[in-house]
């Protein structure tokens, strides 16, 4: 056994995150860990990695009973982790980040040891290639997008050549192609006898790659199933304790006027050119493409983060210039849910209430005075609807599980009534149950006439929820598909740049 | 691209030097240069420690008060009969102790560093005033001043030692695992912890090292005079922090280099004497230094925004090329 955890308990200030969880990992297997948001998956991972200490229970790593366990010890015992939140150093380059992860067991091992930063460039390049991407190792991590950071984390973990590899939602922000190369890496590591713990809310991935799956619910182990004994429906039933259809609650509505239109829009700073599309009131326009194809950059241009320098933006038929986010929000009523919730989405120190109402304080205040009761009731409504797992509305967002943070970031915009709502990966890291709830909320907004642009790497979601799908490739538009004619294959082939696929 | 600050400062220093060469060549006389260097020695030494503190995202405003206490301590230790080298070591240890107190309160008691060092700044300064009643340390033993040697060789010794120290810090921060720990802990403490680095220990070390260096600076400064004032180091913390920030160390932590800081010390240190040589009122000194600090901060901000945009564009470019 590579790992044996028994009776693990952990609570945070009264919140029981884990209540007696047992888990083990054999050499040469992929053991999946599934559960709703807040079920305790990441907490278990952090305990196995030494990043948090269990309140009770025993943990054996590589057959050895560990006590006073630390991240450095975990690494020495051959455990590598890709955490749900990338844990990189923003001021260091990609190569330096990778070198730091590989060469040191922390400075405790040889504080005066010399580190050769130059040699690490080539190594970083090679590991990134194995992780399935090309990122210049000399770039500063602060300039990387969310999926790029995720890939650097994966490269770090591969490079550690560990016996145990733990991946906490590695594909949450990755597209199909990157995910495929990750599965390739996982297969070869498994064949080499390593053990892999794999966490994901994309159940089709679990069914495809896992040899065993353990289901957590409310901090307890519900079941551990062997390959063949679980399918998506079975997993959902065990996770949620009730039946949920994974069907998209799409309502085809009569569309209204064109709300937003771009004509040959371009921005050199954002690296996009010649994007012409339009969104109508009540329409959900899916924006698909590979990571780095310019989807997020297009959204940032519309939101005034990287103002356009070519082409036109028309709102309600009139040409406008959007120079800054504050202009976008207040003058043009454009809202944007960014893809990186930690850097731009939620304010980690602020409570759920303040995070939820941050973008529409006028709804919960009178003459500038905050009405606490109104704030509470608005927040409570959204928290219940989105099933945010928390015991208080005043919990700081930083203490929520990853998926629940995403829900809070989303709640902020779902509470407003913008003219145009841009959602960048709205359901990343969100469990199946809450995902369909978010989709239902989007449908409600559509009924109220909000024009939506939904960026997503999740192909079933794009195809299931969009009225039309615009596919981007290398910074410009590769084609637009109507709901009837869109299939996952067609979207993908456009995204890959296959000419004339539309 | 990451060396931009060092280049800009070097150019600024050259520009000032050029003005002086044209306007007041006397500025470059050996005696003047020597005085300038010796007067700025404490700033340079303490700035090395402050670089570590600010890299980890903290601040230490108590170094001026520490400097005063440690100067007096140096004299008292020397008068107690300790040989001068032993007194020097003891002064550094006393400094390390003071720094460790700051460090423990910040790193382990988790009190914000500005609060902790504000408290120690006031406590040390007022405590010293109370103990000495304002009296200076006099009648120092003969082996104390100039380390018992000629002024020239003593100064050469100090200068050489500081050059070595700066070089060691510059190299160590860039090339040793321990050096990277300071950047890591300041850049993203949580990531550092997960990488097996203990950010609290790093912060503690930064403050302790700063204390020890303040002790060294105080001793090296004390031997230049025949008596030791009980109010030394007034405003030293501001000079040091200004130099570090102008030198390009990000106040938010995680970014900066020793080379830049050294240039910051030189640039800010040469403004005052240069004005005197140019017969410009010394009142301008603060104004000009303030302008330099503002310029540095503004540059940092602009650079950060531009770099982000450029990087995004580069990312796409990259992607386009490979696809
Ligand atoms: N630092 C913390 N302080 C307080 N509560 C915490 C903290 N970390 C986690 N929790 C709580 O512990 C529970 C389990 O969280 P955990 O992050 O393990 O969930 P998860 O299964 O990984 O969910 P997700 O799928 O959303 O990532 C949650 O209720 C969460 O709010
Ligand atoms: Mg999690």
């Amino acid at each position: 056994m590579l790992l044996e955890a028994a009776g693990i308990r952990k609570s945070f200030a009264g919140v029981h995150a884990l209540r007696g969880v047992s888990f083990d990992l054999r050499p040469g297997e992929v053991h999946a860990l599934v559960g709703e948001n807040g079920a305790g998956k990441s907490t278990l991972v952090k305990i196995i990695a030494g990043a948090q200490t269990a309140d009770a229970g025993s943990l054996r790593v590589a057959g050895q009973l560990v006590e006073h366990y630390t991240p450095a010890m975990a690494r020495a015992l051959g455990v590598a982790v890709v955490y749900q939140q990338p844990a990189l150093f923003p001021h260091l380059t990609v190569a330096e980040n990778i070198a730091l992860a590989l060469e040191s067991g922390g400075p405790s091992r040889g504080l005066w040891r010399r580190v050769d930063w130059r040699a690490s460039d080539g190594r970083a390049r090679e590991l990134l290639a194995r992780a399935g991407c090309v990122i210049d190792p000399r770039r500063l991590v602060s300039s990387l997008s969310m999926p790029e950071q995720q890939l650097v984390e994966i490269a770090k973990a591969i490079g550690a050549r560990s016996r145990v590899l733990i991946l906490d939602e590695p594909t949450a922000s990755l597209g199909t192609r990157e995910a495929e190369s990750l599965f390739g890496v996982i297969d070869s590591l498994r064949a080499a006898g390593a053990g892999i713990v794999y966490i994901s809310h994309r159940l089709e991935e679990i069914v495809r790659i896992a040899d065993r799956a353990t289901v957590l619910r409310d901090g307890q182990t519900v079941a551990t199933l062997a390959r063949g004994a679980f399918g998506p429906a079975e997993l959902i039933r065990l996770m949620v304790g009730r039946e949920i259809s994974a069907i998209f609650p799409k309502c085809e509505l009569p569309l209204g006027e064109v709300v937003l239109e771009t004509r040959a829009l371009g921005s050199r700073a954002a690296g996009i050119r010649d994007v012409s599309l339009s969104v109508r009131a009540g329409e959900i326009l899916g924006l698909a493409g590979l990571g780095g194809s310019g989807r997020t950059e297009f959204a940032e241009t519309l939101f005034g983060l990287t103002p356009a320098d070519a082409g036109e933006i028309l709102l309600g038929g009139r040409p406008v210039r959007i120079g800054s986010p504050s202009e976008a929000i207040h003058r043009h009523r454009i809202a944007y849910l960014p893809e990186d919730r930690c850097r731009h989405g939620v304010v980690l120190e602020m409570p759920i209430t303040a995070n939820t109402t941050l973008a529409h304080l006028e709804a919960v205040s009178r003459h500038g005075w905050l009405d606490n009761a109104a704030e509470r009731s608005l927040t409570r409504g959204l928290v219940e609807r989105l099933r945010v797992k928390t015991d208080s509305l005043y919990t700081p967002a930083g203490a929520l599980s990853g998926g629940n943070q995403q829900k809070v970031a989303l709640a902020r915009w779902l509470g407003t009534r913008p003219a145009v709502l841009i959602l960048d990966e709205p359901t990343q890291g969100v469990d199946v149950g809450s995902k369909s709830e978010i989709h239902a909320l989007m449908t409600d907004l559509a009924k109220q006439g909000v024009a939506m642009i939904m960026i997503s790497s999740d192909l079933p979601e794009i195809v299931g929820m969009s009225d039309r799908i615009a596919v981007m490739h290398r910074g410009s538009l590769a084609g637009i598909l109507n709901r009837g004619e869109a299939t996952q294959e067609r979207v993908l082939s456009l995204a890959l740049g296959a000419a004339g696929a539309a | 691209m990451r060396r931009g600050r060092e280049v800009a400062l070097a150019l600024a220093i050259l520009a000032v030097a050029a003005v002086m060469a044209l306007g007041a060549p006397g500025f470059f006389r050996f005696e003047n240069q020597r005085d300038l260097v010796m007067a700025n020695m404490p700033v340079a030494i303490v700035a090395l420690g402050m670089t570590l503190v600010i890299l980890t995202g903290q601040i230490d405003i108590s170094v001026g008060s520490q400097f005063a206490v440690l100067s007096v301590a140096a004299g008292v230790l020397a008068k107690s009969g300790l040989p001068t080298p032993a007194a020097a070591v003891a002064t550094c240890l006393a400094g390390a102790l003071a720094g460790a107190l700051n460090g423990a309160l910040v790193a382990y008691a988790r009190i914000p560093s500005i609060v902790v060092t504000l408290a120690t700044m006031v406590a040390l300064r007022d405590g010293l005033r109370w103990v000495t009643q304002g009296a200076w340390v006099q009648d120092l033993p003969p082996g104390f001043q100039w380390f018992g040697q000629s002024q020239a060789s003593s100064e050469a010794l100090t200068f050489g030692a500081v050059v070595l120290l700066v070089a060691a810090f510059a190299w160590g921060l860039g090339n040793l695992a321990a050096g990277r720990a300071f950047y890591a802990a300041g850049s993203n403490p949580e990531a550092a912890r997960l990488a097996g680095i203990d950010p609290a220990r790093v912060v503690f070390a930064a403050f302790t090292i700063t204390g020890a260096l303040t002790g060294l600076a105080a001793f090296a400064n004390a031997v230049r005079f025949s008596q030791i004032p009980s109010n030394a180091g007034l405003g030293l913390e501001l000079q040091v922090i200004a130099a570090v920030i102008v030198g390009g160390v990000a106040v938010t932590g995680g970014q900066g280099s020793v080379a830049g800081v050294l240039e910051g010390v030189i640039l800010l240190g040469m403004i005052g004497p240069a004005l005197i040589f140019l017969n410009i009122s010394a009142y301008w000194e603060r104004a000009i230094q303030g302008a330099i600090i503002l310029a540095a901060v503004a540059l940092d901000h602009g650079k950060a925004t531009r770099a982000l945009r450029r990087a995004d564009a580069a990312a796409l470019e990259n992607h386009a090329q490979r696809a």
Side-chain angles (χ1 to χ4, degrees), chain A residues 28 60 73 98 120 147 309 348 354 415 433 447 497:
Chain A
R60 281 174 188 278
M73 276 169 71
I98 292 179
S120 51
D309 53 21
L348 293 175
K447 282 181 187 153

Side-chain angles (χ1 to χ4, degrees), chain B:
Chain B
M1 198 179 86
R2 295 168 84 200
R3 293 263 152 221
R5 173 55 56 86
E6 285 86 336
V7 175
L9 282 173
L11 291 178
I13 293 170
L14 282 179
V16 176
V19 169
M20 297 315 291
L22 294 176
F27 180 75
F28 293 104
R29 274 214 327 275
F30 176 73
E31 294 76 40
N32 185 52
Q33 288 293 310
R34 184 194 61 197
D35 288 351
L36 215 165
V37 169
M38 292 321 280
N40 280 292
M41 202 70 82
V43 181
I45 298 176
V46 179
L48 291 175
M50 191 67 76
T51 302
L52 303 184
V53 169
I54 296 185
L55 271 182
T56 57
Q58 309 293 338
I59 192 116
D60 185 347
I61 58 171
S62 72
V63 288
S65 301
Q66 286 186 40
F67 187 85
V69 170
L70 294 167
S71 297
V72 169
V76 171
L77 285 164
K79 280 175 77 172
S80 77
L82 273 185
T84 307
V89 171
T91 308
C92 288
L93 287 179
L97 205 67
L101 175 69
N102 279 335
L105 290 172
V106 174
Y108 299 109
R110 296 179 177 276
I111 308 172
S113 55
I114 184 88
V115 177
V116 168
T117 58
L118 180 65
T120 45
M121 171 172 103
V122 174
L124 288 177
R125 179 85 58 197
D126 284 351
L128 184 67
R129 191 173 300 148
W130 183 66
V131 170
T132 62
Q133 297 290 327
W136 293 28
V137 185
Q138 286 165 334
D139 307 320
L140 290 159
F144 185 73
Q145 199 179 3
W146 305 121
F147 295 108
Q149 303 171 21
S150 74
Q151 175 176 352
S153 60
S154 159
E155 283 179 346
L157 181 78
T158 327
F159 182 72
V162 171
V163 168
L164 278 181
L165 201 62
V166 170
F169 265 76
W171 186 83
L173 266 182
N175 294 293
L176 291 180
R180 262 315 133 117
F182 289 99
Y183 289 93
S187 183
N188 185 346
E190 180 58 14
R193 195 175 75 84
L194 297 177
I197 296 168
D198 179 355
R201 225 173 69 186
V202 176
V203 168
F204 179 77
F207 279 96
T208 308
I209 294 171
T210 302
L213 288 172
T214 308
L216 181 70
F219 200 92
N221 190 56
V223 298
R224 295 171 58 214
F225 308 98
S226 56
Q227 41 187 346
I228 298 169
S230 54
N231 63 347
L234 276 173
L236 178 69
E237 63 280 345
L238 295 183
Q239 280 177 287
V240 170
I241 293 169
V244 171
I245 289 173
V246 167
V249 180
V251 269
T252 45
Q255 227 174 350
S257 76
V258 171
V261 169
L262 184 66
E263 289 177 322
V265 172
I266 294 173
L267 182 62
L268 291 178
M270 71 199 291
I271 298 291
L275 291 179
I276 295 174
F277 268 82
L278 294 172
N279 282 322
I280 300 174
S281 161
Y283 289 119
W284 281 99
E285 181 180 350
R286 284 298 170 95
I288 294 178
Q289 289 176 339
I292 294 176
I293 296 174
L294 277 181
V297 174
L299 263 179
D300 278 346
H301 182 73
K303 201 169 61 188
T305 349
R306 273 198 311 278
L308 263 181
R309 290 190 178 164
R310 244 202 320 270
D312 282 347
L316 263 169
E317 205 60 37
N318 253 337
H319 195 89
Q321 275 164 17
R322 74 173 210 253

